[in-house]
Amino acid sequence: MAGRSANEAGVPSRDRDARSLTLPELQSTLATWSEPPFRATQIMEWLHRRRVTGWEAMTNLPRPLRQRLANRFTLRCLEPRVVQGSADTTRKFLWRLPDGAFVESVLIPANPALYGEASDRVTLCVSTQVGCAYGCRFCASGLGGWKRNLEPFEIVEQVLAAERWHAAQPAAGTATRLVTNLVIMGMGEPLANYDRLLRALRILNADWGGRIGARRITLSTCGLVPQIRRLATEPEQFGLAISLHGATDPVRERIMPVNRKYPLAQLIPACEAYIAGKGRIITLEYILIAGVNDGPDQAPPLADIARRLRAKINLIPYNRVDGLPWERPEPARQERFLAALEQRGARATLRREKGHDIDAACGQLRLRTGLETADEPSGNPS
Ligand code: SAH
């Protein structure tokens, strides 16, 4: 992995972007240049609060220092290629990465903003990889296979670039932070890019960085057992969501090949370890797919798993993906499934999704615009 060969600041040598740096790392670089430590704080303020895109904008730094920083670090930005709006003000971004690959983010206000009134919670759904290796049968992201991991700055930049875009809108307010919550549910499997993701989340969480509380950050995984156990030992209180989608091994395996490697008998104890380590509730995501996992054979075992884990079930009607055969069940069947869960004492909600009209399910925009094959990425698989 690229991170094994580190430069003097402990930064992966292939990724020299300033948004991949922590404050102590920047301070140690500046110390070798005999610069005072407060310069590092000033730089972080420019990067993470003012979201500048060039060193020359950092007007309270001496010009030679700006030049030196520019020689040492990059400041590469994501370009929005398509910004889709939706009736409920959900926004979907398709980002062009520095190497020409494409990933997506979705901006979701909790309560649709009314005239002149800001929404109280704004969630950004971010991507962690270009493509995905896990091949879940319902998901658009895995259709073209896995291309590469995102670097930390490419994860951090999704937040900064979405906020930059928002600040440029005529109706934008003056708040320094737009995004209050993060869900790591975009393209890719977050826990398969563990080290880079954790670095990015720590930067987004830090006081000197994004200042997004760890409890407002939720990671979603297809169920990578060793990494769930590892995450349970980290100091941060990140939320965890499990893409379950099947409550017995045969059904889950049909939907998610990863279940062969990590069957329910391993996944559920790993979830228990996470809950014990964090004292946090986890969420079970369950896409309802007509005739596949929405029948009376799945509701009772799903309710049992949720009760065992004291987890909340999030039922999501399947979003059609071009090239995939499945359909969502009729609303009455969705309601019956929900009722069966509740009858067995499980906590569940049926999502009336935001963004259904803008291809907001994972990987759908990239798929629909055909941009996933636009350029050959040059990233280093690890
Ligand atoms: N790899 C991670 C994150 C990406 S998928 C994981 O598996 O959790 C995250 C979520 O996106 C899924 O659990 C599901 O809730 C949603 N999703 C993806 N494709 C979808 C589709 N076609 N219809 C509805 N929801 C979908």
Side-chain angles (χ1 to χ4, degrees), residues 73-133:
F73 300 112
T74 59
L75 276 184
R76 285 171 295 180
C77 294
L78 307 190
E79 269 174 52
R81 265 309 164 84
V82 178
V83 180
Q84 267 187 9
S86 115
D88 60 10
T89 75
T90 298
R91 296 276 163 179
K92 180 141 186 169
F93 300 90
L94 185 66
W95 305 115
R96 186 179 191 277
L97 303 176
D99 69 351
F102 289 90
V103 293
E104 307 170 9
S105 310
V106 186
L107 192 64
I108 314 150
N111 302 309
L114 300 171
Y115 291 103
E117 209 178 288
S119 168
D120 56 353
R121 194 175 79 202
V122 178
T123 302
L124 189 72
C125 174
V126 304
S127 294
T128 54
Q129 300 183 310
V130 181
C132 185

Side-chain angles (χ1 to χ4, degrees), residues 127-185:
S127 294
T128 54
Q129 300 183 310
V130 181
C132 185
Y134 289 87
C136 298
R137 303 274 182 254
F138 56 83
C139 182
S141 293
L143 283 177
W146 180 84
K147 301 245 168 59
R148 69 173 175 90
N149 284 312
L150 295 194
E151 295 297 343
F153 84 90
E154 292 173 314
I155 299 170
V156 173
E157 247 292 289
Q158 289 173 59
V159 179
L160 296 175
E163 293 186 333
R164 234 178 258 133
W165 173 86
H166 180 262
Q169 302 307 300
T174 51
T176 49
R177 177 102 274 167
L178 169 71
V179 174
T180 62
N181 293 59
L182 291 177
V183 291
I184 320 302
M185 287 190 191

Side-chain angles (χ1 to χ4, degrees), residues 138-139 184-186 188-190 220-222 243 245 285 287 316-319 321 353 361-362:
F138 56 83
C139 182
I184 320 302
M185 287 190 191
E189 169 47 46
S220 178
T221 177
C222 64
S243 289
H245 311 319
E285 294 160 272
I287 298 178
I316 309 149
Y318 175 66
N319 243 337
V321 174
E353 316 135 290
C362 198

